[in-house]
Amino acid sequence: MENMMERLRQRDEEALQYIMNRYGNELIRSAYLMVKDQQLAEEIVQDGFVKVFDKIHQLQDESKLKSWLMTIVLNQCRSKIRTKRFRFPFLPFDPSERDVESGEDDSPEELVVQMQKSESLVEHIHSLDHHYREVIILFYYHDYSLEKMVEITNVKKSTIKSRLRRARMQLRDRLEKGETIDEAT
């Protein structure tokens, strides 16, 4: 990785391509969960990589590249959410674009049930306030520790714990009640 970081500092586009391939999907997934729009998520991540390429010299600890990337992307998501022109799309995703990983033993009926549960969870995550979405994404989708989340979000640990607890409660309540998104909002 050190060689890769040095190549990035020397403005090597192949090194940037390597970083994009390594972290891109994970960053897009996180951005998508924040902004609820696939194209916007891809645009945010692409802009984030441009920013990384321009400012790579500011990163002192190479082991923090992934969290630095995540910080940049989440900050850009927050910025988009705050703009007055930003509106969440009516449908959070196009079901035809969903990629369903199936085991050999899964029947078509089981796959449909799994997909519906997954879609329901994503819809409920999208219905959360962006502060709650952010901590859910970082904690559950990226397995970040509370300390790492403090570093990425620049928010106190106690605030992150509180947001996680509230987000879990809201998700659990909505899923147990079987609410649709229209009923939850």
Side-chain angles (χ1 to χ4, degrees):
M1 182 62 107
E2 284 184 35
N3 184 27
M4 192 61 57
M5 294 301 293
E6 187 55 40
R7 288 176 54 198
L8 271 175
R9 287 188 178 99
Q10 294 173 3
R11 318 271 304 151
D12 181 350
E13 290 183 20
E14 286 181 16
L16 178 63
Q17 187 67 39
Y18 172 81
I19 298 298
M20 291 169 68
N21 289 337
R22 183 163 182 194
Y23 300 112
N25 289 338
E26 188 174 352
L27 294 169
I28 290 171
R29 185 174 47 246
S30 298
Y32 170 73
L33 288 168
M34 286 294 295
V35 299
K36 306 178 190 179
D37 182 306
Q38 184 68 29
Q39 278 186 299
L40 182 57
E42 291 170 4
E43 180 183 317
I44 287 170
V45 171
Q46 185 175 25
D47 291 346
F49 281 122
V50 169
K51 189 175 279 190
V52 165
F53 197 60
D54 289 340
K55 301 190 184 277
I56 192 66
H57 62 279
Q58 293 178 356
L59 181 62
Q60 301 301 318
D61 185 353
E62 296 170 3
S63 68
K64 295 186 178 185
L65 175 63
K66 184 178 176 183
S67 61
W68 189 53
L69 287 165
M70 186 63 68
T71 300
I72 289 169
V73 168
L74 289 178
N75 284 339
Q76 289 181 285
C77 289
R78 288 183 200 130
S79 178
K80 286 287 186 187
I81 290 170
R82 286 185 197 122
T83 62
K84 292 180 183 178
R85 297 178 320 213
F86 182 77
R87 298 285 181 258
F88 289 122
F90 177 70
L91 294 174
F93 58 85
D94 179 357
S96 65
E97 294 178 3
R98 299 277 302 169
D99 184 6
V100 179
E101 295 181 14
S102 62
E104 293 179 6
D105 298 330
D106 291 340
S107 71
E109 294 82 11
E110 290 169 332
L111 291 174
V112 168
V113 169
Q114 289 173 4
M115 193 168 94
Q116 287 174 338
K117 286 180 180 179
S118 175
E119 289 171 0
S120 176
L121 179 60
V122 169
E123 287 177 357
H124 284 293
I125 289 171
H126 282 174
S127 73
L128 295 172
D129 178 74
H130 74 91
H131 296 296
Y132 298 143
R133 278 196 312 269
E134 184 177 82
V135 295
I136 291 291
I137 292 164
L138 291 174
F139 192 77
Y140 289 104
Y141 286 83
H142 297 290
D143 295 322
Y144 282 131
S145 67
L146 293 175
E147 290 75 21
K148 194 64 140 176
M149 291 168 65
V150 166
E151 179 184 320
I152 291 170
T153 62
N154 200 25
V155 173
K156 293 179 186 177
K157 187 175 181 179
S158 60
T159 303
I160 289 175
K161 284 181 174 180
S162 175
R163 287 178 183 173
L164 258 175
R165 185 177 63 252
R166 289 180 185 144
R168 285 184 196 126
M169 287 174 34
Q170 286 182 20
L171 285 173
R172 185 186 65 233
D173 289 348
R174 291 175 184 177
L175 290 168
E176 284 177 355
K177 291 177 185 174
E179 286 182 350
T180 64
I181 295 306
D182 293 335
E183 294 169 347
T185 55

